[in-house]
Amino acid sequence: SQTIHQWPATLVQPVGSPLSLECTVEGTSNPNLYWYRQAAGRGLQLLFYSVGIGQISSEVPQNLSASRPQDRQFILSSKKLLLSDSGFYLCAWSAGARDIAFFGQGTRLTVV
Amino acid sequence: DQQVKQNSPSLSVQEGRISILNCDYTNSMFDYFLWYKKYPAEGPTFLISISSIKDKNEDGRFTVFLNKSAKHLSLHIVPSQPGDSAVYFCAVTQGGSEKLVFGKGTKLTVNP
């Protein structure tokens, strides 16, 4: 069966520090991978999605970047965090956009 | 711009009654629609979906209705149970795109 792992669960980082959130999927190959952020009053905002290794589509210009160094690994990064980067970050995978997306447990990021 | 709108941030219903959650979308090219349920500090989980070739899909207590001309879909929960209390997100996608776009969510509270 397929599983998705996302870590860490919570993170408190100072403004200006770097960020690296990792997401891995097991039990499937060539999944679509997604990063979403849930901020207060903003719902689930699509940040990045990837349909294959090295293929990243960015949805919202911002202080974040994403990479997919391996088929089932998706990384969300920042060189210098801003206060506005605080939120609940969710990684998801699907077999295709018309297939069910399965989400990780999320990372609560607080930038102080 | 918001492609998917859930205009009611919250909804409160009595146990046993019907819950109706609404979602509007702007792009007539969207052709696949999903509902997800989310508890606090967890990732969303898939609930039910509908393709644009249908106008209704039913799964147990959950029914999704699609009105393509109005670009509107709704989720009906009958009968509502306290365990249904959660945030409900609608999501849309379209053929040829791997994007999965979510609305802002509606918080449903089912009172015993």
Side-chain angles (χ1 to χ4, degrees), chain A residues 32 34 36 38 41-44 46 49 51 59 88 90 96-106 108, chain B residues 31-32 34 36 38 41-46 51 87 89 93-105:
Chain A
N32 284 357
Y34 304 86
Y36 290 89
Q38 185 181 19
R42 297 292 303 275
L44 283 175
L46 177 62
Y49 67 96
V51 300
E59 285 300 296
F88 190 55
L90 289 154
R98 288 165 157 274
D99 291 289
I100 298 168
F102 296 92
F103 284 80
Q105 288 299 296
R108 170 69 62 190
Chain B
D31 58 5
Y32 196 65
L34 310 96
Y36 285 78
K38 184 183 182 298
E42 294 183 7
T45 55
F46 171 76
S51 164
V87 177
F89 292 94
T93 187
Q94 65 183 84
S97 169
E98 300 304 307
K99 285 172 56 173
L100 182 62
V101 181
F102 285 78
K104 288 189 175 184

mmCIF file of all heavy atoms in Angstrom, chain A residues 32 34 36 38 41-44 46 49 51 59 88 90 96-106 108, chain B residues 31-32 34 36 38 41-46 51 87 89 93-105:
data_model
loop_
_atom_site.group_PDB
_atom_site.id
_atom_site.type_symbol
_atom_site.label_atom_id
_atom_site.label_comp_id
_atom_site.label_asym_id
_atom_site.label_seq_id
_atom_site.Cartn_x
_atom_site.Cartn_y
_atom_site.Cartn_z
ATOM 1 N N ASN A 32 2.305 12.269 -8.985
ATOM 2 C CA ASN A 32 2.266 13.730 -8.924
ATOM 3 C C ASN A 32 2.493 14.101 -7.462
ATOM 4 O O ASN A 32 1.949 13.452 -6.557
ATOM 5 C CB ASN A 32 0.901 14.258 -9.357
ATOM 6 C CG ASN A 32 0.709 14.206 -10.849
ATOM 7 O OD1 ASN A 32 1.601 13.822 -11.602
ATOM 8 N ND2 ASN A 32 -0.476 14.581 -11.296
ATOM 9 N N TYR A 34 2.633 17.394 -4.575
ATOM 10 C CA TYR A 34 2.114 18.747 -4.340
ATOM 11 C C TYR A 34 2.577 19.266 -2.985
ATOM 12 O O TYR A 34 2.683 18.509 -2.021
ATOM 13 C CB TYR A 34 0.575 18.739 -4.336
ATOM 14 C CG TYR A 34 -0.069 18.172 -5.579
ATOM 15 C CD1 TYR A 34 -0.288 16.806 -5.710
ATOM 16 C CD2 TYR A 34 -0.494 19.008 -6.609
ATOM 17 C CE1 TYR A 34 -0.890 16.282 -6.851
ATOM 18 C CE2 TYR A 34 -1.106 18.491 -7.757
ATOM 19 C CZ TYR A 34 -1.294 17.135 -7.863
ATOM 20 O OH TYR A 34 -1.909 16.621 -8.991
ATOM 21 N N TYR A 36 1.137 22.255 -0.418
ATOM 22 C CA TYR A 36 0.099 23.227 -0.117
ATOM 23 C C TYR A 36 0.436 23.917 1.198
ATOM 24 O O TYR A 36 1.136 23.368 2.042
ATOM 25 C CB TYR A 36 -1.270 22.548 0.046
ATOM 26 C CG TYR A 36 -1.860 22.006 -1.227
ATOM 27 C CD1 TYR A 36 -1.574 20.711 -1.647
ATOM 28 C CD2 TYR A 36 -2.727 22.765 -2.003
ATOM 29 C CE1 TYR A 36 -2.119 20.203 -2.810
ATOM 30 C CE2 TYR A 36 -3.294 22.257 -3.176
ATOM 31 C CZ TYR A 36 -2.973 20.980 -3.562
ATOM 32 O OH TYR A 36 -3.529 20.468 -4.715
ATOM 33 N N GLN A 38 -1.692 25.955 4.338
ATOM 34 C CA GLN A 38 -2.938 26.415 4.927
ATOM 35 C C GLN A 38 -2.601 27.523 5.898
ATOM 36 O O GLN A 38 -2.029 27.276 6.962
ATOM 37 C CB GLN A 38 -3.678 25.289 5.643
ATOM 38 C CG GLN A 38 -5.034 25.722 6.171
ATOM 39 C CD GLN A 38 -5.757 24.626 6.909
ATOM 40 O OE1 GLN A 38 -5.148 23.649 7.354
ATOM 41 N NE2 GLN A 38 -7.068 24.755 7.070
ATOM 42 N N GLY A 41 -7.477 31.820 7.205
ATOM 43 C CA GLY A 41 -8.363 32.506 6.272
ATOM 44 C C GLY A 41 -8.019 32.327 4.812
ATOM 45 O O GLY A 41 -8.652 32.928 3.953
ATOM 46 N N ARG A 42 -7.048 31.474 4.508
ATOM 47 C CA ARG A 42 -6.613 31.340 3.107
ATOM 48 C C ARG A 42 -6.913 29.977 2.515
ATOM 49 O O ARG A 42 -6.650 29.733 1.370
ATOM 50 C CB ARG A 42 -5.112 31.608 3.005
ATOM 51 C CG ARG A 42 -4.683 33.000 3.385
ATOM 52 C CD ARG A 42 -5.178 34.038 2.399
ATOM 53 N NE ARG A 42 -4.745 33.786 1.052
ATOM 54 C CZ ARG A 42 -3.584 34.170 0.554
ATOM 55 N NH1 ARG A 42 -2.731 34.829 1.310
ATOM 56 N NH2 ARG A 42 -3.256 33.908 -0.702
ATOM 57 N N GLY A 43 -7.431 29.083 3.300
ATOM 58 C CA GLY A 43 -7.728 27.764 2.768
ATOM 59 C C GLY A 43 -6.457 27.016 2.411
ATOM 60 O O GLY A 43 -5.392 27.272 2.960
ATOM 61 N N LEU A 44 -6.564 26.099 1.476
ATOM 62 C CA LEU A 44 -5.422 25.305 1.029
ATOM 63 C C LEU A 44 -4.861 25.937 -0.243
ATOM 64 O O LEU A 44 -5.429 25.813 -1.317
ATOM 65 C CB LEU A 44 -5.850 23.868 0.754
ATOM 66 C CG LEU A 44 -6.054 22.982 1.959
ATOM 67 C CD1 LEU A 44 -6.584 21.627 1.529
ATOM 68 C CD2 LEU A 44 -4.763 22.799 2.736
ATOM 69 N N LEU A 46 -2.262 26.149 -3.158
ATOM 70 C CA LEU A 46 -1.296 25.350 -3.897
ATOM 71 C C LEU A 46 -0.024 26.159 -4.101
ATOM 72 O O LEU A 46 -0.065 27.271 -4.646
ATOM 73 C CB LEU A 46 -1.884 24.923 -5.241
ATOM 74 C CG LEU A 46 -0.976 24.128 -6.172
ATOM 75 C CD1 LEU A 46 -0.555 22.809 -5.534
ATOM 76 C CD2 LEU A 46 -1.669 23.875 -7.510
ATOM 77 N N TYR A 49 3.718 22.068 -7.641
ATOM 78 C CA TYR A 49 3.404 20.696 -7.974
ATOM 79 C C TYR A 49 4.439 20.193 -8.961
ATOM 80 O O TYR A 49 5.100 20.969 -9.656
ATOM 81 C CB TYR A 49 1.973 20.521 -8.482
ATOM 82 C CG TYR A 49 1.654 21.152 -9.816
ATOM 83 C CD1 TYR A 49 1.691 20.414 -10.996
ATOM 84 C CD2 TYR A 49 1.275 22.491 -9.899
ATOM 85 C CE1 TYR A 49 1.367 20.985 -12.212
ATOM 86 C CE2 TYR A 49 0.965 23.069 -11.099
ATOM 87 C CZ TYR A 49 0.997 22.314 -12.255
ATOM 88 O OH TYR A 49 0.683 22.889 -13.461
ATOM 89 N N VAL A 51 5.262 16.797 -11.704
ATOM 90 C CA VAL A 51 4.797 15.598 -12.408
ATOM 91 C C VAL A 51 5.938 14.627 -12.673
ATOM 92 O O VAL A 51 5.710 13.537 -13.208
ATOM 93 C CB VAL A 51 4.067 15.946 -13.715
ATOM 94 C CG1 VAL A 51 2.849 16.811 -13.427
ATOM 95 C CG2 VAL A 51 5.002 16.634 -14.687
ATOM 96 N N GLU A 59 3.157 27.956 -8.326
ATOM 97 C CA GLU A 59 1.866 28.598 -8.457
ATOM 98 C C GLU A 59 1.830 30.013 -7.902
ATOM 99 O O GLU A 59 1.086 30.843 -8.385
ATOM 100 C CB GLU A 59 0.788 27.759 -7.753
ATOM 101 C CG GLU A 59 0.409 26.526 -8.530
ATOM 102 C CD GLU A 59 -0.147 26.872 -9.890
ATOM 103 O OE1 GLU A 59 -1.209 27.520 -9.957
ATOM 104 O OE2 GLU A 59 0.488 26.498 -10.906
ATOM 105 N N PHE A 88 0.571 26.072 8.008
ATOM 106 C CA PHE A 88 0.524 24.614 8.057
ATOM 107 C C PHE A 88 0.803 24.117 6.651
ATOM 108 O O PHE A 88 0.023 24.362 5.733
ATOM 109 C CB PHE A 88 -0.860 24.190 8.559
ATOM 110 C CG PHE A 88 -0.994 22.743 8.895
ATOM 111 C CD1 PHE A 88 -0.131 22.138 9.802
ATOM 112 C CD2 PHE A 88 -1.986 21.964 8.329
ATOM 113 C CE1 PHE A 88 -0.252 20.796 10.132
ATOM 114 C CE2 PHE A 88 -2.125 20.620 8.651
ATOM 115 C CZ PHE A 88 -1.260 20.039 9.556
ATOM 116 N N LEU A 90 1.401 21.245 3.829
ATOM 117 C CA LEU A 90 0.930 19.893 3.529
ATOM 118 C C LEU A 90 1.517 19.405 2.219
ATOM 119 O O LEU A 90 1.494 20.104 1.211
ATOM 120 C CB LEU A 90 -0.593 19.867 3.428
ATOM 121 C CG LEU A 90 -1.342 20.030 4.745
ATOM 122 C CD1 LEU A 90 -2.725 20.608 4.521
ATOM 123 C CD2 LEU A 90 -1.449 18.673 5.436
ATOM 124 N N GLY A 96 -2.499 10.946 -10.552
ATOM 125 C CA GLY A 96 -2.781 11.906 -11.609
ATOM 126 C C GLY A 96 -3.741 12.925 -11.035
ATOM 127 O O GLY A 96 -4.346 12.692 -9.995
ATOM 128 N N ALA A 97 -3.922 14.049 -11.712
ATOM 129 C CA ALA A 97 -4.766 15.106 -11.155
ATOM 130 C C ALA A 97 -6.208 14.653 -10.993
ATOM 131 O O ALA A 97 -6.928 15.142 -10.137
ATOM 132 C CB ALA A 97 -4.697 16.346 -12.026
ATOM 133 N N ARG A 98 -6.660 13.693 -11.805
ATOM 134 C CA ARG A 98 -8.033 13.222 -11.685
ATOM 135 C C ARG A 98 -8.153 12.074 -10.700
ATOM 136 O O ARG A 98 -9.224 11.501 -10.529
ATOM 137 C CB ARG A 98 -8.541 12.780 -13.050
ATOM 138 C CG ARG A 98 -8.792 13.940 -13.977
ATOM 139 C CD ARG A 98 -8.937 13.457 -15.379
ATOM 140 N NE ARG A 98 -9.676 14.406 -16.187
ATOM 141 C CZ ARG A 98 -10.998 14.427 -16.256
ATOM 142 N NH1 ARG A 98 -11.706 13.556 -15.600
ATOM 143 N NH2 ARG A 98 -11.612 15.321 -16.985
ATOM 144 N N ASP A 99 -7.056 11.736 -10.074
ATOM 145 C CA ASP A 99 -7.084 10.699 -9.051
ATOM 146 C C ASP A 99 -7.100 11.340 -7.670
ATOM 147 O O ASP A 99 -6.757 12.500 -7.518
ATOM 148 C CB ASP A 99 -5.870 9.779 -9.179
ATOM 149 C CG ASP A 99 -5.938 8.930 -10.432
ATOM 150 O OD1 ASP A 99 -6.787 8.015 -10.470
ATOM 151 O OD2 ASP A 99 -5.171 9.197 -11.363
ATOM 152 N N ILE A 100 -7.462 10.540 -6.715
ATOM 153 C CA ILE A 100 -7.536 11.043 -5.348
ATOM 154 C C ILE A 100 -6.154 11.469 -4.895
ATOM 155 O O ILE A 100 -5.170 10.759 -5.122
ATOM 156 C CB ILE A 100 -8.084 9.950 -4.417
ATOM 157 C CG1 ILE A 100 -9.499 9.565 -4.840
ATOM 158 C CG2 ILE A 100 -8.061 10.427 -2.961
ATOM 159 C CD1 ILE A 100 -9.989 8.309 -4.152
ATOM 160 N N ALA A 101 -6.070 12.619 -4.265
ATOM 161 C CA ALA A 101 -4.818 13.062 -3.670
ATOM 162 C C ALA A 101 -4.787 12.629 -2.218
ATOM 163 O O ALA A 101 -5.768 12.768 -1.493
ATOM 164 C CB ALA A 101 -4.682 14.579 -3.765
ATOM 165 N N PHE A 102 -3.647 12.076 -1.810
ATOM 166 C CA PHE A 102 -3.459 11.645 -0.432
ATOM 167 C C PHE A 102 -2.461 12.596 0.228
ATOM 168 O O PHE A 102 -1.401 12.864 -0.317
ATOM 169 C CB PHE A 102 -2.934 10.213 -0.394
ATOM 170 C CG PHE A 102 -3.902 9.216 -0.960
ATOM 171 C CD1 PHE A 102 -3.857 8.868 -2.302
ATOM 172 C CD2 PHE A 102 -4.864 8.626 -0.148
ATOM 173 C CE1 PHE A 102 -4.752 7.965 -2.837
ATOM 174 C CE2 PHE A 102 -5.769 7.721 -0.676
ATOM 175 C CZ PHE A 102 -5.716 7.395 -2.017
ATOM 176 N N PHE A 103 -2.835 13.034 1.410
ATOM 177 C CA PHE A 103 -2.052 14.053 2.091
ATOM 178 C C PHE A 103 -1.230 13.472 3.227
ATOM 179 O O PHE A 103 -1.630 12.502 3.873
ATOM 180 C CB PHE A 103 -2.964 15.139 2.661
ATOM 181 C CG PHE A 103 -3.492 16.095 1.620
ATOM 182 C CD1 PHE A 103 -4.561 15.742 0.814
ATOM 183 C CD2 PHE A 103 -2.911 17.336 1.462
ATOM 184 C CE1 PHE A 103 -5.045 16.617 -0.141
ATOM 185 C CE2 PHE A 103 -3.391 18.220 0.502
ATOM 186 C CZ PHE A 103 -4.457 17.861 -0.296
ATOM 187 N N GLY A 104 -0.100 14.118 3.488
ATOM 188 C CA GLY A 104 0.660 13.830 4.680
ATOM 189 C C GLY A 104 0.009 14.489 5.886
ATOM 190 O O GLY A 104 -1.027 15.145 5.771
ATOM 191 N N GLN A 105 0.632 14.299 7.034
ATOM 192 C CA GLN A 105 0.061 14.820 8.267
ATOM 193 C C GLN A 105 0.317 16.306 8.477
ATOM 194 O O GLN A 105 -0.246 16.911 9.373
ATOM 195 C CB GLN A 105 0.601 14.034 9.467
ATOM 196 C CG GLN A 105 0.034 12.624 9.542
ATOM 197 C CD GLN A 105 -1.473 12.631 9.694
ATOM 198 O OE1 GLN A 105 -2.023 13.102 10.685
ATOM 199 N NE2 GLN A 105 -2.185 12.115 8.699
ATOM 200 N N GLY A 106 1.181 16.870 7.660
ATOM 201 C CA GLY A 106 1.402 18.304 7.734
ATOM 202 C C GLY A 106 2.536 18.712 8.654
ATOM 203 O O GLY A 106 2.920 17.965 9.570
ATOM 204 N N ARG A 108 3.539 22.080 10.978
ATOM 205 C CA ARG A 108 3.173 23.398 11.499
ATOM 206 C C ARG A 108 4.434 24.218 11.632
ATOM 207 O O ARG A 108 5.274 23.920 12.467
ATOM 208 C CB ARG A 108 2.480 23.253 12.850
ATOM 209 C CG ARG A 108 2.264 24.575 13.600
ATOM 210 C CD ARG A 108 1.245 25.447 12.930
ATOM 211 N NE ARG A 108 -0.075 24.816 12.871
ATOM 212 C CZ ARG A 108 -1.092 25.281 12.164
ATOM 213 N NH1 ARG A 108 -0.949 26.385 11.440
ATOM 214 N NH2 ARG A 108 -2.250 24.668 12.164
ATOM 215 N N ASP B 31 -13.293 20.007 -15.007
ATOM 216 C CA ASP B 31 -14.178 18.901 -15.348
ATOM 217 C C ASP B 31 -14.147 17.753 -14.334
ATOM 218 O O ASP B 31 -14.716 16.686 -14.578
ATOM 219 C CB ASP B 31 -13.863 18.372 -16.744
ATOM 220 C CG ASP B 31 -12.417 17.918 -16.877
ATOM 221 O OD1 ASP B 31 -11.688 17.929 -15.863
ATOM 222 O OD2 ASP B 31 -12.017 17.560 -17.996
ATOM 223 N N TYR B 32 -13.467 17.968 -13.240
ATOM 224 C CA TYR B 32 -13.466 16.942 -12.203
ATOM 225 C C TYR B 32 -13.432 17.651 -10.865
ATOM 226 O O TYR B 32 -12.642 18.566 -10.652
ATOM 227 C CB TYR B 32 -12.246 16.025 -12.361
ATOM 228 C CG TYR B 32 -12.361 14.733 -11.596
ATOM 229 C CD1 TYR B 32 -13.321 13.790 -11.922
ATOM 230 C CD2 TYR B 32 -11.496 14.459 -10.542
ATOM 231 C CE1 TYR B 32 -13.429 12.609 -11.221
ATOM 232 C CE2 TYR B 32 -11.597 13.268 -9.851
ATOM 233 C CZ TYR B 32 -12.565 12.354 -10.183
ATOM 234 O OH TYR B 32 -12.674 11.182 -9.496
ATOM 235 N N LEU B 34 -13.858 17.397 -6.479
ATOM 236 C CA LEU B 34 -13.676 16.524 -5.329
ATOM 237 C C LEU B 34 -14.017 17.278 -4.049
ATOM 238 O O LEU B 34 -13.887 18.498 -3.972
ATOM 239 C CB LEU B 34 -12.216 16.042 -5.246
ATOM 240 C CG LEU B 34 -11.593 15.445 -6.512
ATOM 241 C CD1 LEU B 34 -10.792 16.492 -7.287
ATOM 242 C CD2 LEU B 34 -10.686 14.270 -6.156
ATOM 243 N N TYR B 36 -13.024 17.128 0.114
ATOM 244 C CA TYR B 36 -12.128 16.601 1.134
ATOM 245 C C TYR B 36 -12.605 17.087 2.486
ATOM 246 O O TYR B 36 -13.184 18.156 2.627
ATOM 247 C CB TYR B 36 -10.692 17.085 0.905
ATOM 248 C CG TYR B 36 -9.974 16.393 -0.227
ATOM 249 C CD1 TYR B 36 -10.228 16.740 -1.551
ATOM 250 C CD2 TYR B 36 -9.050 15.384 0.030
ATOM 251 C CE1 TYR B 36 -9.581 16.099 -2.586
ATOM 252 C CE2 TYR B 36 -8.395 14.742 -1.008
ATOM 253 C CZ TYR B 36 -8.663 15.108 -2.310
ATOM 254 O OH TYR B 36 -8.021 14.466 -3.337
ATOM 255 N N LYS B 38 -11.289 17.720 6.524
ATOM 256 C CA LYS B 38 -10.047 17.928 7.266
ATOM 257 C C LYS B 38 -10.327 18.195 8.739
ATOM 258 O O LYS B 38 -11.128 19.066 9.082
ATOM 259 C CB LYS B 38 -9.266 19.105 6.663
ATOM 260 C CG LYS B 38 -7.902 19.340 7.312
ATOM 261 C CD LYS B 38 -7.212 20.540 6.752
ATOM 262 C CE LYS B 38 -5.837 20.713 7.376
ATOM 263 N NZ LYS B 38 -5.912 20.927 8.831
ATOM 264 N N ALA B 41 -4.970 19.997 12.509
ATOM 265 C CA ALA B 41 -3.613 19.450 12.607
ATOM 266 C C ALA B 41 -3.445 18.119 11.867
ATOM 267 O O ALA B 41 -2.549 17.330 12.193
ATOM 268 C CB ALA B 41 -3.185 19.296 14.059
ATOM 269 N N GLU B 42 -4.328 17.844 10.920
ATOM 270 C CA GLU B 42 -4.185 16.644 10.093
ATOM 271 C C GLU B 42 -4.272 17.024 8.628
ATOM 272 O O GLU B 42 -4.766 18.094 8.270
ATOM 273 C CB GLU B 42 -5.277 15.628 10.408
ATOM 274 C CG GLU B 42 -5.210 15.034 11.786
ATOM 275 C CD GLU B 42 -6.284 13.979 11.990
ATOM 276 O OE1 GLU B 42 -6.979 13.628 11.009
ATOM 277 O OE2 GLU B 42 -6.432 13.518 13.125
ATOM 278 N N GLY B 43 -3.815 16.115 7.768
ATOM 279 C CA GLY B 43 -4.000 16.339 6.347
ATOM 280 C C GLY B 43 -5.434 16.046 5.929
ATOM 281 O O GLY B 43 -6.125 15.260 6.569
ATOM 282 N N PRO B 44 -5.918 16.677 4.860
ATOM 283 C CA PRO B 44 -7.273 16.385 4.373
ATOM 284 C C PRO B 44 -7.383 14.940 3.897
ATOM 285 O O PRO B 44 -6.405 14.341 3.447
ATOM 286 C CB PRO B 44 -7.433 17.352 3.190
ATOM 287 C CG PRO B 44 -6.376 18.382 3.363
ATOM 288 C CD PRO B 44 -5.244 17.704 4.061
ATOM 289 N N THR B 45 -8.587 14.408 3.984
ATOM 290 C CA THR B 45 -8.858 13.072 3.452
ATOM 291 C C THR B 45 -9.981 13.163 2.427
ATOM 292 O O THR B 45 -10.929 13.931 2.585
ATOM 293 C CB THR B 45 -9.236 12.081 4.559
ATOM 294 O OG1 THR B 45 -10.340 12.624 5.300
ATOM 295 C CG2 THR B 45 -8.083 11.841 5.497
ATOM 296 N N PHE B 46 -9.869 12.349 1.410
ATOM 297 C CA PHE B 46 -10.834 12.358 0.315
ATOM 298 C C PHE B 46 -12.189 11.862 0.795
ATOM 299 O O PHE B 46 -12.290 10.919 1.581
ATOM 300 C CB PHE B 46 -10.318 11.462 -0.808
ATOM 301 C CG PHE B 46 -11.327 11.218 -1.894
ATOM 302 C CD1 PHE B 46 -11.610 12.200 -2.819
ATOM 303 C CD2 PHE B 46 -11.993 10.010 -1.958
ATOM 304 C CE1 PHE B 46 -12.542 11.969 -3.818
ATOM 305 C CE2 PHE B 46 -12.928 9.771 -2.953
ATOM 306 C CZ PHE B 46 -13.202 10.755 -3.884
ATOM 307 N N SER B 51 -17.453 13.646 -11.775
ATOM 308 C CA SER B 51 -16.974 14.071 -13.080
ATOM 309 C C SER B 51 -18.014 14.984 -13.724
ATOM 310 O O SER B 51 -19.200 14.895 -13.408
ATOM 311 C CB SER B 51 -16.732 12.839 -13.945
ATOM 312 O OG SER B 51 -16.624 13.183 -15.300
ATOM 313 N N VAL B 87 -13.564 20.648 8.742
ATOM 314 C CA VAL B 87 -13.539 21.625 7.647
ATOM 315 C C VAL B 87 -13.636 20.854 6.332
ATOM 316 O O VAL B 87 -12.922 19.870 6.133
ATOM 317 C CB VAL B 87 -12.256 22.472 7.672
ATOM 318 C CG1 VAL B 87 -12.217 23.427 6.479
ATOM 319 C CG2 VAL B 87 -12.159 23.254 8.975
ATOM 320 N N PHE B 89 -13.384 20.945 2.225
ATOM 321 C CA PHE B 89 -12.817 21.662 1.099
ATOM 322 C C PHE B 89 -13.333 21.059 -0.203
ATOM 323 O O PHE B 89 -13.369 19.838 -0.355
ATOM 324 C CB PHE B 89 -11.290 21.549 1.085
ATOM 325 C CG PHE B 89 -10.592 22.259 2.198
ATOM 326 C CD1 PHE B 89 -10.260 21.593 3.367
ATOM 327 C CD2 PHE B 89 -10.253 23.596 2.068
ATOM 328 C CE1 PHE B 89 -9.603 22.257 4.400
ATOM 329 C CE2 PHE B 89 -9.589 24.265 3.090
ATOM 330 C CZ PHE B 89 -9.270 23.587 4.253
ATOM 331 N N THR B 93 -10.180 20.226 -10.809
ATOM 332 C CA THR B 93 -9.087 20.027 -11.738
ATOM 333 C C THR B 93 -9.666 19.927 -13.143
ATOM 334 O O THR B 93 -10.876 19.943 -13.323
ATOM 335 C CB THR B 93 -8.283 18.763 -11.374
ATOM 336 O OG1 THR B 93 -7.112 18.689 -12.201
ATOM 337 C CG2 THR B 93 -9.117 17.511 -11.556
ATOM 338 N N GLN B 94 -8.811 19.859 -14.123
ATOM 339 C CA GLN B 94 -9.296 19.783 -15.499
ATOM 340 C C GLN B 94 -8.397 18.854 -16.287
ATOM 341 O O GLN B 94 -7.208 18.690 -15.965
ATOM 342 C CB GLN B 94 -9.336 21.160 -16.148
ATOM 343 C CG GLN B 94 -7.984 21.809 -16.330
ATOM 344 C CD GLN B 94 -8.083 23.194 -16.917
ATOM 345 O OE1 GLN B 94 -8.303 24.160 -16.180
ATOM 346 N NE2 GLN B 94 -7.912 23.316 -18.201
ATOM 347 N N GLY B 95 -8.963 18.261 -17.289
ATOM 348 C CA GLY B 95 -8.214 17.367 -18.140
ATOM 349 C C GLY B 95 -7.033 18.083 -18.768
ATOM 350 O O GLY B 95 -7.145 19.228 -19.191
ATOM 351 N N GLY B 96 -5.878 17.416 -18.805
ATOM 352 C CA GLY B 96 -4.688 18.018 -19.381
ATOM 353 C C GLY B 96 -3.870 18.824 -18.400
ATOM 354 O O GLY B 96 -2.779 19.279 -18.726
ATOM 355 N N SER B 97 -4.401 19.024 -17.202
ATOM 356 C CA SER B 97 -3.651 19.760 -16.181
ATOM 357 C C SER B 97 -3.456 18.861 -14.977
ATOM 358 O O SER B 97 -4.329 18.066 -14.641
ATOM 359 C CB SER B 97 -4.420 21.020 -15.772
ATOM 360 O OG SER B 97 -3.827 21.607 -14.622
ATOM 361 N N GLU B 98 -2.329 18.996 -14.338
ATOM 362 C CA GLU B 98 -2.080 18.223 -13.142
ATOM 363 C C GLU B 98 -2.303 19.048 -11.884
ATOM 364 O O GLU B 98 -2.017 18.603 -10.786
ATOM 365 C CB GLU B 98 -0.644 17.691 -13.146
ATOM 366 C CG GLU B 98 -0.319 16.790 -14.334
ATOM 367 C CD GLU B 98 -1.284 15.618 -14.443
ATOM 368 O OE1 GLU B 98 -1.457 14.903 -13.436
ATOM 369 O OE2 GLU B 98 -1.863 15.410 -15.524
ATOM 370 N N LYS B 99 -2.839 20.249 -12.046
ATOM 371 C CA LYS B 99 -3.106 21.101 -10.888
ATOM 372 C C LYS B 99 -4.363 20.640 -10.171
ATOM 373 O O LYS B 99 -5.337 20.248 -10.806
ATOM 374 C CB LYS B 99 -3.312 22.552 -11.340
ATOM 375 C CG LYS B 99 -2.051 23.261 -11.720
ATOM 376 C CD LYS B 99 -2.342 24.608 -12.334
ATOM 377 C CE LYS B 99 -3.170 25.487 -11.442
ATOM 378 N NZ LYS B 99 -3.307 26.848 -11.997
ATOM 379 N N LEU B 100 -4.328 20.710 -8.864
ATOM 380 C CA LEU B 100 -5.502 20.420 -8.041
ATOM 381 C C LEU B 100 -5.692 21.630 -7.143
ATOM 382 O O LEU B 100 -4.873 21.883 -6.265
ATOM 383 C CB LEU B 100 -5.258 19.152 -7.214
ATOM 384 C CG LEU B 100 -6.396 18.662 -6.338
ATOM 385 C CD1 LEU B 100 -7.601 18.302 -7.192
ATOM 386 C CD2 LEU B 100 -5.951 17.459 -5.515
ATOM 387 N N VAL B 101 -6.758 22.379 -7.389
ATOM 388 C CA VAL B 101 -6.954 23.669 -6.715
ATOM 389 C C VAL B 101 -8.090 23.552 -5.710
ATOM 390 O O VAL B 101 -9.170 23.052 -6.032
ATOM 391 C CB VAL B 101 -7.273 24.774 -7.742
ATOM 392 C CG1 VAL B 101 -7.456 26.116 -7.035
ATOM 393 C CG2 VAL B 101 -6.157 24.875 -8.769
ATOM 394 N N PHE B 102 -7.850 24.040 -4.509
ATOM 395 C CA PHE B 102 -8.818 23.943 -3.423
ATOM 396 C C PHE B 102 -9.460 25.294 -3.131
ATOM 397 O O PHE B 102 -8.874 26.355 -3.357
ATOM 398 C CB PHE B 102 -8.121 23.468 -2.140
ATOM 399 C CG PHE B 102 -7.787 22.011 -2.128
ATOM 400 C CD1 PHE B 102 -6.699 21.525 -2.829
ATOM 401 C CD2 PHE B 102 -8.559 21.112 -1.402
ATOM 402 C CE1 PHE B 102 -6.389 20.176 -2.816
ATOM 403 C CE2 PHE B 102 -8.247 19.767 -1.376
ATOM 404 C CZ PHE B 102 -7.157 19.298 -2.090
ATOM 405 N N GLY B 103 -10.665 25.214 -2.579
ATOM 406 C CA GLY B 103 -11.313 26.391 -2.033
ATOM 407 C C GLY B 103 -10.801 26.683 -0.633
ATOM 408 O O GLY B 103 -9.907 26.002 -0.130
ATOM 409 N N LYS B 104 -11.406 27.705 0.004
ATOM 410 C CA LYS B 104 -10.935 28.107 1.329
ATOM 411 C C LYS B 104 -11.501 27.241 2.442
ATOM 412 O O LYS B 104 -11.040 27.324 3.573
ATOM 413 C CB LYS B 104 -11.306 29.570 1.587
ATOM 414 C CG LYS B 104 -10.503 30.555 0.779
ATOM 415 C CD LYS B 104 -10.761 31.974 1.239
ATOM 416 C CE LYS B 104 -9.860 32.942 0.501
ATOM 417 N NZ LYS B 104 -10.028 34.323 0.988
ATOM 418 N N GLY B 105 -12.501 26.455 2.135
ATOM 419 C CA GLY B 105 -13.043 25.546 3.134
ATOM 420 C C GLY B 105 -14.241 26.105 3.869
ATOM 421 O O GLY B 105 -14.425 27.324 3.978
#
